Amino acid sequence: MVDQSGKTVWVTGASSGIGEALAKAFVADGGSAILSGRKVPELERVMRETGAPERCHILPFDTQDFDVLEQMVATAVAFRGAVDILINNAGISQRSLAIDTDFSVYDQIISVDLLAPIALTQKLLPHLIERGSGQLVMISSVAGKAGVPLRTAYCAAKHGLIGYSDALRSEIAGQGIGVLVVAPGSVRTNVSRNALNADGSARGSSDAAIENGIDPAVVASTIWNAVADGKREIVIAEGMEASIPVLRAQDPEKLFDMVEAMVANGYAQKLAAQP
């Protein structure tokens, strides 16, 4: 447990998955939470399930609606007088071969997974710098550390988020603001069900890897411990997924061979065949 008393976290994508788990853990440890997303009934459910709804505030908006961000930041700050931690968690994935994928899918995924967290961070950053304290948490992915088949748009966005975070961290070092990049592997969430097909429609079904993935509560606990320890980047993955960032750094040729072999052995067809 990490004592979060007196602190306020703002979580995007708080209606399910990792975002929901992060908000619940934070409130359970004494903190207050601003819950953002588009599905108000689900945000209300999460607020109730924290057990301390009086320490929660629902702030629904579409992260791609950049014109409202200034007002959203003002509302978030007004809830408890300050935002101590921003978790850019909202995102969407992909399950389609590049050759088949309409460009609108790239446009949407990069907007949601890269431009939206950058835009919100940029709007909140003056508040954090003025206070001289705060924490930014960027939820990237193992797919942000290395290319993964059927996720070209997702990989592009998550790689970009890491690059932005690393550069920003260097610029604000010494100003009391931490920047943590989180690269999860397969976590039991709705990420695969909500992933976009080649035509932009929702996939509607999950992957075996996701269904057998890490519990979001375990991911949340690991993230909060990393924040407390002042970490700058963590990978939360198991098995082969845990080895991907290591191979990308130490032996990229071996990783490229491994991933190409996956595709040659029918990875795309097997994924498409899963119920």
Side-chain angles (χ1 to χ4, degrees):
M1 293 180 63
V2 179
D3 184 11
Q4 309 289 13
S5 301
K7 296 180 182 178
T8 300
V9 65
W10 186 3
V11 184
T12 67
S15 62
S16 65
I18 294 174
E20 175 180 347
L22 282 164
K24 287 180 175 178
F26 193 86
V27 173
D29 288 344
S32 299
I34 300 163
L35 310 176
S36 287
R38 293 180 300 172
K39 300 176 181 177
V40 174
E42 287 302 301
L43 294 174
E44 291 174 340
R45 175 189 60 78
V46 173
M47 181 176 69
R48 291 192 301 271
E49 291 179 3
T50 64
E54 71 281 1
R55 284 192 273 116
C56 297
H57 179 70
I58 293 176
L59 186 58
F61 70 102
D62 187 332
T63 57
Q64 297 179 89
D65 190 355
F66 301 150
D67 291 339
V68 307
L69 293 185
E70 187 169 345
Q71 180 57 50
M72 294 301 101
V73 168
T75 302
V77 170
F79 173 53
R80 286 286 188 264
V83 173
D84 298 287
I85 305 166
L86 170 63
I87 298 181
N88 281 302
N89 169 71
I92 189 167
S93 191
Q94 171 196 12
R95 296 293 186 274
S96 61
L97 293 169
I99 189 65
D100 300 326
T101 303
D102 190 84
F103 185 75
S104 63
V105 173
Y106 288 90
D107 192 22
Q108 183 175 355
I109 290 177
I110 289 173
S111 177
V112 173
D113 290 2
L114 178 58
L115 295 180
I118 289 176
L120 184 55
T121 299
Q122 292 290 128
K123 287 295 184 182
L124 184 65
L125 193 57
H127 170 70
L128 300 178
I129 289 176
E130 182 180 1
R131 295 184 68 229
S133 66
Q135 178 73 46
L136 297 165
V137 179
M138 308 294 197
I139 307 299
S140 181
S141 170
V142 166
K145 303 294 289 182
V148 182
L150 302 181
R151 297 163 180 84
T152 47
Y154 185 68
C155 288
K158 293 300 189 179
H159 272 73
L161 187 60
I162 292 176
Y164 168 79
S165 301
D166 288 353
L168 177 63
R169 186 189 301 112
S170 71
E171 292 180 3
I172 60 178
Q175 299 188 54
I177 304 164
V179 180
L180 170 64
V181 169
V182 181
S186 294
V187 182
R188 284 201 308 273
T189 69
N190 291 321
V191 63
S192 289
R193 292 185 180 89
N194 297 332
L196 300 186
N197 292 316
D199 61 358
S201 61
R203 184 165 186 255
S205 61
S206 193
D207 303 339
I210 296 296
E211 290 303 297
N212 295 300
I214 303 170
D215 187 331
V218 173
V219 174
S221 176
T222 303
I223 291 171
W224 286 127
N225 286 330
V227 170
D229 292 341
K231 299 287 187 181
R232 288 174 284 194
E233 181 177 285
I234 58 170
V235 174
I236 307 176
E238 298 174 335
M240 186 184 73
E241 291 180 344
S243 70
I244 287 175
V246 177
L247 281 174
R248 186 63 178 87
Q250 297 180 358
D251 193 350
E253 289 296 328
K254 182 176 180 180
L255 175 64
F256 299 154
D257 287 342
M258 182 178 74
V259 176
E260 288 177 11
M262 285 172 52
V263 177
N265 289 329
Y267 172 77
Q269 292 82 355
K270 292 174 184 176
L271 196 65
Q274 289 180 0

